[in-house]
């Protein structure tokens, strides 16, 4: 990390403000060649983290922009190195011209996530906080943004550090007694660590249990809208989206393929899939659509089974509801077209929650939101302590397995060295979680998720 990197940090679209970021040993000297503050001081003499107004010129002396610059001296900067941010007007042409000037003076193009990677390698943040940077950028709900912000502030690292420290104390105590038998060190007794192991297992289990909600929070709830042809599936999709995304006609079988869209239903993000009507058919194209409908239903986190019960519950509807009940998949029975019903709506027999709606008037959509919220409640975990990616969950899972194996070894009267082998396995897994011990190839893979300039 002895070189200087630069990148546009604000994307490639036209905007009011555009930022070019630099980090490394030469960034202040390079900026001094191009930026002329309005005043007597040179840029390198500016106060730390103070915006400076001035002219930005190319190497030939031609004016590129009138802008603001700020410098942050390492090791207290974001990356732990000297950094500069040039805040221009948001023309992509201007930003690219600025970047080319920086390259000509010795900087190089930053790779994806390289600024945050340097922050991690320079111990400015631990790994879960670094991963939270991309999560907060990609957040699609307030809940996921708050959780990412909590992780950025060190919530998971804080939870893990106590467990890591207790396990490390246990390991160091054992090795001290083993290596220095003549020293006056308190005897190592496994019984003294039962409570520590139980507490670690409980905390890790709570953290691991949050992962299912974390996946849904970050990626959305994969939701399949299923039912017989002309049951009102596409009309429901259009009502939820607020515009006519799917073609709606009175002709059964209009939808031949899946239609996928994303929308917010209250606090939850639904990834909706409108499917072809499920029925027996001799039409080869429609049969393929039915097959895709069933595949979408199997993959989904939530199934919205749409029924038109104006003429009673059809055999196909009853079979679908029984299939969903048997699968134990999260599902809601939706009785559609209530605006066309004269008198009481006929409710099918099912253990699934039932909601009566009209896609025309919007009646019942609020009740649908309530039922979805009941099926996907927010876990009682502080913001920031919800696991959101598979790497983190895998590390916690392996640590928990090692802790449980250590507990079993204590209960079964195993020797301390066997117990400590499992404890040290847990320490290694937790070190991977926070980045205290992690291979370079894993580090590179993590930061490859980031966009350039972050």
């Amino acid at each position: 990390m002895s070189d200087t990197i630069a990148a546009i940090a604000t994307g490639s679209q036209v905007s009011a403000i555009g930022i070019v970021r630099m980090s490394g040993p030469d960034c202040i000297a390079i900026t001094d060649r191009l930026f002329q503050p309005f005043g007597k001081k040179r840029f390198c003499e500016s106060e730390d983290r103070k915006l400076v107004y001035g002219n930005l010129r190319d190497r030939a002396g031609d004016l590129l922009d009138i802008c603001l610059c700020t410098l942050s001296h390492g090791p207290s900067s974001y990356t732990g190195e000297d950094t500069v941010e040039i805040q221009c007007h948001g023309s992509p042409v201007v930003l690219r011209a600025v970047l080319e000037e920086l390259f000509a003076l010795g900087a190089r193009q930053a790779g994806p996530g390289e600024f945050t990677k340097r922050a991690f390698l320079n111990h400015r943040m631990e790994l879960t906080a670094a991963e939270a940077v991309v999560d907060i950028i990609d957040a699609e709900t307030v809940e996921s943004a708050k959780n990412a912000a909590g992780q950025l502030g060190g919530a998971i690292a804080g939870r893990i550090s106590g467990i890591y420290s207790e396990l490390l104390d246990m390991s160091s105590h054992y090795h001290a007694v083993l290596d220095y038998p003549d020293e006056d060190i308190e005897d190592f007794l496994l019984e003294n660590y039962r409570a520590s192991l139980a507490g670690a297992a409980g905390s890790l289990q709570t953290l691991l249990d949050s992962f299912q909600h974390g996946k849904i929070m970050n990626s959305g709830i994969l939701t399949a809208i299923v039912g017989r042809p002309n049951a009102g599936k596409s009309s429901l999709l259009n009502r939820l989206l607020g515009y006519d995304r799917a073609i709606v006609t009175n002709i059964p079988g209009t939808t031949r393929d899946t239609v996928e869209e994303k929308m917010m239903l209250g606090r939850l993000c639904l990834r909706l899939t409108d499917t072809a009507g499920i029925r027996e058919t001799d039409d080869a194209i429609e049969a393929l659509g039915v097959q895709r409908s069933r595949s979408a239903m199997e993959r989904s986190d939530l199934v919205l089974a749409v029924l038109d019960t104006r003429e009673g519950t059809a055999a196909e509807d009853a079979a679908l509801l029984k299939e969903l009940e048997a699968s134990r998949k999260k599902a809601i029975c939706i009785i559609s077209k209530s605006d066309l019903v004269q008198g009481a709506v006929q409710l099918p027999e099912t253990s699934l929650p039932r909601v009566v709606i009209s896609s025309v008037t919007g009646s019942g959509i609020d009740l649908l939101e309530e039922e979805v919220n009941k099926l996907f409640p927010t876990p009682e975990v502080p913001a920031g302590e919800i696991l959101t990616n598979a790497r983190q969950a895998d590390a916690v899972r392996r640590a928990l397995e090692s802790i449980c194996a250590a507990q079993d070894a204590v209960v079964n009267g195993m020797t301390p060295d066997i117990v400590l082998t499992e404890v040290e396995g847990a320490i290694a897994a937790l070190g991977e979680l926070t980045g205290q011990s992690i291979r370079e190839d894993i580090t590179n893979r993590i930061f490859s998720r980031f966009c350039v300039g972050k």
Side-chain angles (χ1 to χ4, degrees):
M1 295 190 298
S2 60
D3 56 352
T4 298
I5 57 173
I8 298 170
T10 47
S12 58
Q13 301 299 313
V14 174
S15 60
I17 301 296
I19 297 175
V20 178
R21 177 180 289 169
M22 253 194 310
S23 180
D26 298 328
C27 67
I28 297 175
I30 289 173
T31 308
D32 256 345
R33 294 276 302 274
L34 305 174
F35 183 66
Q36 302 165 353
F38 294 143
K40 296 181 180 179
K41 289 185 178 180
R42 298 172 61 204
F43 177 70
C44 62
E45 299 171 324
S46 303
E47 294 179 36
D48 198 49
R49 303 182 186 181
K50 181 178 180 180
L51 286 169
V52 180
Y53 191 43
N55 289 324
L56 185 67
R57 300 181 182 275
D58 62 19
R59 286 162 294 150
D62 295 328
L63 186 66
L64 286 173
D65 200 358
I66 300 174
C67 63
L68 294 165
C69 284
T70 183
L71 67 83
S72 298
H73 291 285
S76 299
S77 68
Y78 177 77
T79 62
E81 308 168 331
D82 289 344
T83 62
V84 170
E85 286 194 354
I86 304 171
Q87 300 186 19
C88 303
H89 294 92
S91 162
V93 173
V94 172
L95 295 174
R96 189 66 206 175
V98 173
L99 199 60
E100 292 295 341
E101 291 297 318
L102 303 183
F103 293 161
L105 292 173
R108 69 163 174 83
Q109 174 67 57
E114 191 167 0
F115 290 92
T116 305
K117 182 179 179 181
R118 290 189 176 201
F120 166 66
L121 295 175
N122 288 327
H123 309 293
R124 292 293 295 161
M125 63 174 64
E126 46 75 34
L127 197 55
T128 56
E131 288 177 295
V133 172
V134 72
D135 286 342
I136 202 167
I137 291 169
D138 292 340
E140 293 185 306
T141 67
V142 173
E143 185 184 15
S144 59
K146 286 182 177 179
N147 189 68
Q151 290 187 1
L152 188 59
I156 287 182
R159 168 71 76 91
I160 293 300
S161 64
I163 302 171
Y164 188 89
S165 179
E166 286 192 0
L167 297 179
L168 209 56
D169 287 345
M170 184 177 179
S171 177
S172 60
H173 184 190
Y174 170 76
H175 286 292
V177 171
L178 188 69
D179 295 340
Y180 303 100
D182 298 329
E183 297 293 329
D184 186 20
I185 301 173
E186 181 183 355
D187 289 341
F188 181 84
L189 300 174
L190 287 174
E191 285 297 320
N192 294 341
Y193 290 99
R194 277 181 182 266
S196 294
L197 290 174
S203 293
L204 291 175
Q205 186 64 62
T206 299
L207 199 55
L208 188 59
D209 289 344
S210 73
F211 178 52
Q212 188 62 36
H213 181 74
K215 286 195 298 182
I216 287 171
M217 185 176 64
N218 267 22
S219 303
I221 301 169
L222 191 56
T223 305
I225 305 175
V226 302
R228 289 186 295 125
N230 212 28
K233 301 182 299 299
S234 296
S235 295
L236 174 60
L237 174 75
N238 291 343
R239 165 56 67 172
L240 290 173
L241 293 176
Y243 65 94
D244 290 340
R245 171 63 178 85
I247 297 172
V248 176
T249 74
N250 292 324
I251 304 170
T254 301
T255 302
R256 294 296 187 95
D257 201 351
T258 55
V259 178
E260 300 182 6
E261 289 292 341
K262 189 182 292 186
M263 56 82 62
M264 294 299 301
L265 186 66
R267 64 177 179 83
L268 296 171
C269 176
L270 303 188
R271 292 167 56 198
L272 298 170
T273 302
D274 181 25
T275 65
I278 297 177
R279 66 174 177 181
E280 295 296 328
T281 178
D282 295 326
D283 186 308
I285 297 176
E286 186 178 2
L288 182 59
V290 172
Q291 182 182 343
R292 291 186 178 183
S293 299
R294 291 202 167 276
S295 177
M297 188 166 64
E298 290 170 5
R299 295 194 314 269
S300 65
D301 304 308
L302 171 66
V303 176
L304 303 181
V306 182
L307 280 62
D308 180 359
T309 62
R310 287 177 294 167
E311 297 180 3
T313 303
E316 295 95 331
D317 292 338
L320 174 61
L321 295 177
K322 286 184 178 180
E323 181 181 344
L324 291 172
E325 289 170 346
S327 71
R328 298 187 180 277
K329 187 178 284 290
K330 292 181 178 179
I332 298 173
C333 174
I334 296 177
I335 295 87
S336 66
K337 305 183 182 180
S338 63
D339 55 301
L340 300 180
V341 175
Q342 300 295 326
V345 174
Q346 298 189 45
L347 300 178
E349 291 293 330
T350 179
S351 61
L352 302 178
R354 297 173 299 189
V355 178
V356 178
I357 71 161
S358 166
S359 297
V360 174
T361 66
S363 171
I365 298 298
D366 56 336
L367 300 177
L368 174 60
E369 181 181 334
E370 288 179 15
E371 292 297 338
V372 174
N373 277 311
K374 289 177 186 177
L375 292 176
F376 296 92
T378 302
E380 294 182 4
V381 178
E385 294 186 17
I386 299 174
L387 292 180
T388 54
N389 72 53
R391 187 199 73 83
Q392 295 172 357
D394 178 64
V396 172
R397 184 179 294 108
R398 285 185 284 113
L400 179 59
E401 288 172 353
S402 293
I403 293 294
C404 291
Q407 288 179 297
D408 290 343
V410 172
V411 170
N412 293 323
M414 298 293 185
T415 55
D417 60 310
I418 294 177
V419 176
L420 264 294
T421 297
E422 298 295 345
V423 168
E424 287 169 1
I427 290 171
L430 294 179
E432 287 183 28
L433 178 68
T434 59
Q436 288 168 282
S437 56
I438 191 165
R439 300 197 315 268
E440 184 179 356
D441 59 327
I442 296 176
T443 302
N444 291 336
R445 187 162 66 247
I446 289 168
F447 288 100
S448 68
R449 295 175 56 216
F450 286 60
C451 55
V452 173
K454 296 296 184 283

